[in-house]
Amino acid sequence: MTASAENGKSGQAMHKPPVVSPQAWEAAREQLLVKEKAETRARDALAAERRRMPWMAVEKAYSFEGPQGKVSLLDLFEGRHQLILYRAFYEPGVFGWPEHACRGCSMVADQVAHVAHLNARDTTLVFASRAPQADIARLKARMGWTMPWVTITDSFDKDFGVDEWHGTNVFYRDGERIFRTYFINNRGDEQMGGTWNYLDITPLGRQEVWEDSPEGYPQTPTYKWWNWHDSYVPDAEPDKKWIEVSDAGEAAFRAESANEKP
């Protein structure tokens, strides 16, 4: 280890944790695991409460520019019921323009999981900026990003609290009516990118039977909808072999949970 690594960037000696036996390390891990599992349960409960938040009707018509031309907010759903719309800062005046988007927004973009998994849960993810489509296309190609990305052309960013800072808005489509169901920004935005985190902020959630959701919400057997991102087929039945594998894994998990100390 180099001297700088040993002392840290400040030059001060690092106050490292004690080195213990495997048995003591496992005991410490088990002690921390109790708190971690409590946090997981609290996160699940918060997501359940989020699914019961009131909705706000979107009465104004908004217009964006997409790769093929003008599109509406309704068009962004791509026929699905849920839309997650992230406001990324890429436009004149933003640090990095025109070669790069904002460093923070770029970090978020780099974390985005394959959108096929969201699509399989009736959910569309879209990024939105004020940069022209030609610049957005060039940036996406350079950075290897593939999520849909549109240009804001009206007051959408101001109306939904993302004109001066990044943020993620969630919408639900009921026929042609659109409702705003959730909004998260600041530190809350930094965790975004994973399929589960995205689904947990939607009104329908992960749509699995273990979730505490309002009556009548769509739910399917746990794990069974999972697939390789290049293998999703609309309205396909779960693969029989995957059902066997996932059932065995869930049974083992349940058995382990039942044997845990209170």
Side-chain angles (χ1 to χ4, degrees), residues 18-156:
V19 177
V20 299
S21 68
Q23 295 78 12
W25 185 91
E26 190 61 37
R29 173 187 172 274
E30 291 291 338
Q31 186 176 9
L32 184 60
L33 188 60
V34 173
K35 296 180 179 179
E36 290 177 336
K37 290 192 173 185
E39 181 188 26
T40 297
R41 297 185 187 100
R43 188 170 63 246
D44 290 342
L46 188 60
E49 187 174 346
R50 192 180 292 124
R51 290 190 288 277
R52 290 166 170 82
M53 271 191 60
W55 294 359
M56 182 195 83
V58 179
E59 306 291 358
K60 185 176 178 179
Y62 292 96
S63 179
F64 304 85
E65 190 74 22
Q68 307 304 321
K70 184 178 178 180
V71 290
S72 66
L73 182 61
L74 185 65
D75 292 329
L76 298 187
F77 284 81
E78 296 182 346
R80 302 182 183 95
H81 282 95
Q82 302 191 129
L83 171 66
I84 301 171
L85 189 53
Y86 175 72
R87 197 316 192 193
F89 277 84
Y90 178 53
E91 57 210 52
V94 171
F95 175 64
W97 171 265
E99 289 78 17
H100 282 293
C102 156
R103 285 183 175 176
C105 295
S106 297
M107 283 281 287
V108 173
D110 277 337
Q111 310 311 310
V112 174
H114 203 291
V115 297
H117 303 297
L118 291 174
N119 297 164
R121 293 279 90 177
D122 200 16
T123 304
T124 301
L125 173 69
V126 177
F127 274 42
S129 299
R130 284 198 169 271
Q133 277 297 297
D135 294 298
I136 290 175
R138 185 181 67 250
L139 176 69
K140 289 176 63 178
R142 171 177 178 165
M143 302 300 288
W145 297 329
T146 59
M147 75 286 285
W149 197 321
V150 296
T151 302
I152 300 168
T153 64
D154 51 29
S155 63
F156 173 86

Side-chain angles (χ1 to χ4, degrees), residues 39 50 86 104 108 165-168 182-193 197 201:
E39 181 188 26
R50 192 180 292 124
Y86 175 72
V108 173
W165 196 243
H166 61 86
T168 302
Y182 190 66
F183 175 63
I184 188 168
N185 61 357
N186 296 322
R187 285 285 311 275
D189 243 358
E190 70 184 19
Q191 66 168 335
M192 291 294 105
N197 283 336
I201 66 171

Side-chain angles (χ1 to χ4, degrees), residues 157-172:
D157 48 0
K158 184 175 182 180
D159 293 349
F160 288 94
V162 288
D163 55 324
E164 297 181 354
W165 196 243
H166 61 86
T168 302
N169 279 281
V170 184
F171 300 93
Y172 184 86

